[in-house]
Amino acid sequence: MTGEVYYPHKELFKNPVFKNMCEYKEMVEEFEKDYEGTWAKLAREKITWFEDFKQTLDESNAPFYKWFVGGKLNVTYQCIDRHLESKKNKAAIIWEGDNGENKTITYLELYREVNKFANLLKSLGVKKGDRVVIYMPMIPEAAFAMLACARIGAIHSVVFGGFSAEALKDRIIDAKAKVVITADGAFRKGAPYMLKPTVDKALEEIDFVEKVIVVERNNQDIEWTHRDVSYNELIQNQPDECTPEIMDSEDPLFLLYTSGSTGKPKGVQHSQAGYILWAQLTMEWVFDIKDNDTFWCTADIGWITGHTYIVYGPLAAGATTVMFEGVPTYPDAGRAWKMIENYKINQFYTAPTAIRLLHKIGADEPKKYDLSSLRILGTVGEPIDPAAWKWYYDVVGNGRCSIVDTWWQTETGGHMISPLPAATPFKPGSATFPLPGIFAEVIDENGNKMPAQEKGLLCITKPWPSMIRTIWGDPERFVKSYFSTAKKNGKPVYFSGDGAIYDEDGYIWITGRVDDVINVSGHRLGTAEIEDAIKYHPEVAEVAVVGKPDEIKGESVFAYIVLKNPENIAQELEFIKEVNEIIKKEIGAIAKVDNFAFVPGLPKTRSGKVMRRILRAIAKGEEITQDTSTLENPQVVEEIIAIVNSCG
Ligand code: 6R9
């Protein structure tokens, strides 16, 4: 890992925050010299405070860090109100529907819609601190809903629309939501799909959800229950002024559930001030957002990328953000490129899995469109392989755009490691360097920096404003998940779960998760969750799942299954279909098993722990370098290898 070097085309950038690597280094040094002072300066410069903060960083109860203590603000004031004076008629959101229809929402219109929605929530009894689950398609009302919660200080928890009723139910219960906001459904690839029936199912055994607000989008028939209310009706009579709730810097802004290596998904809790500061700053630093730019992030709002880079970041920066209901492959492989041409998109942000797919189904497709408005191409969600990077660079970016390979996580709130588009020399496949203010380091468990070309733990060794505050309802799990793997100078530091390597030039190369998390098409899935689902099948005695490299998805799910009665299974494919039905019900279709092997047993340590590392190596077709003699059942490894090899 050292790689070729590409240099930014500086002429594309008029007035970037970082013009060159010297400026980057100066800022890094400023943070090194005066960490808190530099953050305080940025927070005062960027945020419109109702009341200034008294203390920049409170470490007294580490790792439960507090930032900008005593400050008062409202995130929607930062994202909307403060822009009205200079850009009330500017497009805040440009929305494109699956069928190509589009809608532009100006900042003034956004202000009214959010206030109306906030008043609607209030009229249903939603108050500061209440949790509101949002299960929505990619329509503007989803953004209005998030912001309406923020306006009144309610804590939103967006659940990805692809999740099943079971998964939705778990999240509603964990957050103890008072209200759920959903839609009848929406459109995908020219056809309607439904969400409301899933909400009905999720709520079957829940009695504490008081209201379900239904946005009518696709106008298909749905059942209306006693707790359902129609958004389209109720919104009519709402006043379009709603005084923003005065929020403390550290009040929770939202929860977002994500997979960990064990147990149920965890509710990652973010705060107000630190989160919004970093969402806005990274728009300026990494995406070089300028007043006339049109920014398009293709994520779903159900993921952190959608939160930070469709809604909060672009709006805090006063930018125009594009929101897209459909998929980039419909009606054809040119859809995304056509949208870039139509809206003259300046920054395009997507995932390697989409890049690989678009490459595969239409390698020359981008050339048919005028993509000259593009300045920056972003990628996120998983390591990007150099081949995909180069196609993105050469064909989509026409050999001139800067590629920002942004490494970050649900827990980090915004970008942590990324090139700066006008400054950093790029290496395809490397996320390059930590952003100023972010002390991301590749270390061993004791905090020693790893030498070049040796894999270590990717840690963030100082707290940062947009970091996760806790896991909702489970502070112990927060400490255990993130602050119990590595220490620096004797102090626990944040461990990301990823491994990484420095090259000789100090570039960081992310190697992927070192824990039991699988990354399928940029979606985080816990092996434990998938295994728990598979175990519902009555014929399954034991199961272990691992990630297997996949050409398009990055990783796919490989399941090693021990059957109770192998003789009962006549049709292997039928059986896997049944297993996938269960997974679809328990989690969602994204977690489905693509490859499997029926094995006589799983390799286990003497304490009974399944050695996934060995199973991962077998799935990847790698040699087993680990000593297997200490296993309880070493012979099983040979048997599994033989079975997997015979499956091809
Ligand atoms: C933003 C987001 C986080 C995990 C993370 C890592 C992987 C994200 C990456 C990347 C290599 C990048 N990841 N960006 N790996 N290069 N540029 O994706 O959040 O869904 O929480 O996933 O995704 O493994 O730990 P999240």
Side-chain angles (χ1 to χ4, degrees):
M1 287 182 176
T2 38
E4 292 167 75
V5 182
Y6 292 72
Y7 293 90
H9 283 240
K10 292 196 187 260
E11 71 280 5
L12 291 179
F13 303 93
K14 296 245 160 53
N15 192 17
V17 180
F18 298 94
K19 293 185 194 66
N20 49 52
M21 286 312 267
C22 288
E23 292 190 356
Y24 164 73
K25 282 179 194 140
E26 274 167 26
M27 186 82 178
V28 170
E29 276 163 26
E30 206 179 310
F31 273 108
E32 273 164 5
K33 267 192 242 133
D34 182 8
Y35 191 61
E36 290 184 37
T38 309
W39 278 119
K41 197 173 87 194
L42 285 167
R44 292 205 169 96
E45 193 183 305
K46 297 291 172 184
I47 292 182
T48 305
W49 295 95
F50 297 157
E51 232 177 86
D52 192 14
F53 52 92
K54 315 273 177 302
Q55 188 186 359
T56 305
L57 171 64
D58 175 358
E59 301 189 79
S60 61
N61 190 25
F64 299 91
Y65 297 100
K66 290 187 181 151
W67 282 91
F68 313 124
V69 182
K72 305 283 179 204
L73 77 164
N74 186 289
V75 160
T76 65
Y77 195 91
Q78 183 74 8
C79 290
I80 310 171
D81 304 43
R82 72 186 187 107
H83 302 313
L84 293 182
E85 201 181 305
S86 60
K87 26 184 123 174
K88 64 178 185 297
N89 294 322
K90 174 175 172 170
I93 301 176
I94 295 177
W95 173 80
E96 180 161 309
D98 181 62
N99 68 357
E101 67 183 299
N102 61 36
K103 225 193 272 182
T104 297
I105 295 133
T106 66
Y107 272 92
L108 182 58
E109 287 164 336
L110 181 65
Y111 174 81
R112 293 204 176 108
E113 294 302 330
V114 169
N115 283 339
K116 282 199 278 181
F117 210 151
N119 284 323
L120 194 164
L121 290 173
K122 275 187 169 175
S123 75
L124 299 177
V126 180
K127 293 188 200 64
K128 178 175 175 178
D130 286 343
R131 274 81 56 211
V132 174
V133 161
I134 300 177
Y135 187 68
M136 290 277 272
M138 289 289 289
I139 56 177
E141 288 78 4
F144 305 162
M146 293 163 73
L147 294 162
C149 289
R151 187 80 175 173
I152 64 171
I155 305 169
H156 63 70
S157 173
V158 184
V159 177
F160 172 54
F163 277 127
S164 69
E166 276 300 315
L168 176 60
K169 178 177 136 191
D170 288 346
R171 288 156 173 80
I172 292 172
I173 293 175
D174 192 78
K176 199 129 199 286
K178 189 175 204 174
V179 163
V180 174
I181 306 174
T182 188
D184 43 8
F187 295 94
R188 184 176 298 131
K189 297 192 186 176
Y193 72 93
M194 303 307 290
L195 291 171
K196 175 64 167 47
T198 312
V199 174
D200 292 343
K201 200 138 180 262
L203 293 181
E204 265 167 14
E205 289 153 29
I206 293 178
D207 56 10
F208 53 80
V209 170
E210 294 173 13
K211 291 283 175 228
V212 175
I213 304 173
V214 184
V215 178
E216 287 154 271
R217 156 69 186 137
N218 68 9
N219 295 305
Q220 302 294 300
D221 278 343
I222 52 167
E223 261 179 58
W224 291 87
T225 74
H226 64 282
R227 59 183 154 207
D228 299 340
V229 295
S230 160
Y231 167 84
N232 304 50
E233 267 171 38
L234 291 189
I235 203 73
Q236 308 282 347
N237 305 320
Q238 300 302 332
D240 57 15
E241 291 284 338
C242 173
T243 312
E245 189 76 33
I246 307 227
M247 302 301 287
D248 194 273
S249 294
E250 281 294 318
D251 282 332
L253 175 62
F254 64 83
L255 312 178
L256 186 57
Y257 284 81
T258 190
S259 295
S261 46
T262 53
K264 294 245 179 213
K266 28 191 189 187
V268 171
Q269 180 179 319
H270 278 287
S271 72
Q272 311 270 334
Y275 173 80
I276 204 67
L277 172 65
W278 194 235
Q280 182 178 327
L281 272 177
T282 49
M283 285 300 298
E284 297 173 4
W285 293 4
V286 176
F287 289 128
D288 185 47
I289 197 81
K290 293 286 184 272
D291 201 34
N292 199 32
D293 284 347
T294 306
F295 177 86
W296 182 20
C297 163
T298 68
D300 188 281
I301 49 134
W303 309 116
I304 190 69
T305 308
H307 281 59
T308 310
Y309 298 109
I310 296 179
V311 182
Y312 287 113
L315 297 176
T320 300
T321 181
V322 173
M323 192 174 181
F324 177 41
E325 180 186 37
V327 294
T329 50
Y330 175 83
D332 56 53
R335 179 66 180 270
W337 320 128
K338 188 169 171 213
M339 282 178 64
I340 293 173
E341 178 180 280
N342 278 353
Y343 299 115
K344 303 210 179 306
I345 306 279
N346 305 95
Q347 296 91 350
F348 178 64
Y349 191 31
T350 196
T353 184
I355 299 167
R356 288 190 296 265
L357 181 68
L358 291 168
H359 178 198
K360 191 170 173 188
I361 64 174
D364 292 326
E365 205 64 22
K367 294 182 186 151
K368 297 183 192 158
Y369 299 87
D370 175 8
L371 306 182
S372 60
S373 57
L374 288 171
R375 217 160 62 240
I376 295 173
L377 298 170
T379 144
V380 59
E382 52 178 314
I384 181 163
D385 46 294
W389 193 100
K390 281 186 191 139
W391 179 75
Y392 205 28
Y393 183 81
D394 289 334
V395 183
V396 182
N398 201 13
R400 46 191 274 290
C401 295
S402 289
I403 304 237
V404 291
D405 177 353
T406 59
W407 177 86
W408 60 294
Q409 311 178 289
T410 306
E411 294 86 344
T412 70
H415 304 150
M416 296 283 106
I417 305 177
S418 171
L420 294 163
T424 313
F426 314 107
K427 290 190 185 186
S430 166
T432 73
F433 305 109
L435 292 173
I438 303 301
F439 288 72
E441 295 183 75
V442 186
I443 56 177
D444 67 14
E445 283 156 10
N446 301 315
N448 303 307
K449 210 166 167 141
M450 296 304 289
Q453 304 300 353
E454 273 183 47
K455 188 165 147 182
L457 308 169
L458 181 54
C459 293
I460 305 174
T461 57
K462 274 184 202 280
W464 67 102
S466 67
M467 70 192 293
I468 173 176
R469 291 306 192 264
T470 188
I471 291 174
W472 179 255
D474 203 346
E476 274 167 36
R477 192 171 173 203
F478 166 72
V479 177
K480 192 158 175 273
S481 302
Y482 305 108
F483 290 93
S484 61
T485 306
K487 285 193 168 136
K488 193 177 169 180
N489 304 326
K491 209 166 128 187
V493 294
Y494 176 87
F495 171 49
S496 64
D498 282 350
I501 294 173
Y502 288 118
D503 71 13
E504 279 73 12
D505 302 323
Y507 279 66
I508 297 175
W509 298 72
I510 318 291
T511 56
R513 305 289 303 193
V514 296
D515 57 10
D516 291 329
V517 170
I518 306 181
N519 191 332
V520 179
S521 300
H523 303 318
R524 271 167 73 171
L525 301 167
T527 48
E529 282 169 84
I530 306 176
E531 288 164 6
D532 287 349
I534 296 175
K535 283 180 201 152
Y536 279 112
H537 195 291
E539 289 295 335
V540 172
E542 273 191 297
V543 58
V545 306
V546 298
K548 178 181 158 77
D550 182 279
E551 199 194 332
I552 301 289
K553 301 188 201 176
E555 278 188 304
S556 62
V557 178
F558 191 118
Y560 294 89
I561 299 171
V562 184
L563 293 166
K564 285 186 185 152
N565 308 293
E567 65 282 3
N568 284 359
I569 309 298
Q571 292 282 345
E572 291 190 357
L573 288 178
E574 266 314 300
F575 172 81
I576 286 300
K577 250 198 209 154
E578 288 165 22
V579 164
N580 277 334
E581 276 307 311
I582 299 173
I583 292 176
K584 213 167 132 189
K585 179 167 162 277
E586 295 294 323
I587 308 170
I590 43 172
K592 82 178 181 32
V593 169
D594 277 330
N595 295 280
F596 61 95
F598 293 130
V599 294
L602 301 171
K604 286 185 186 162
T605 61
R606 290 189 196 276
S607 59
K609 200 168 181 290
V610 174
M611 291 304 289
R612 275 215 192 67
R613 220 168 343 139
I614 293 178
L615 295 173
R616 263 199 298 263
I618 298 175
K620 286 183 186 165
E622 288 172 3
E623 221 172 295
I624 312 281
T625 49
Q626 208 183 350
D627 177 17
T628 55
S629 62
T630 57
L631 292 177
E632 191 193 59
N633 50 353
Q635 81 295 343
V636 90
V637 175
E638 290 308 316
E639 291 171 31
I640 295 175
I641 293 173
I643 291 167
V644 171
N645 287 345
S646 72
C647 299

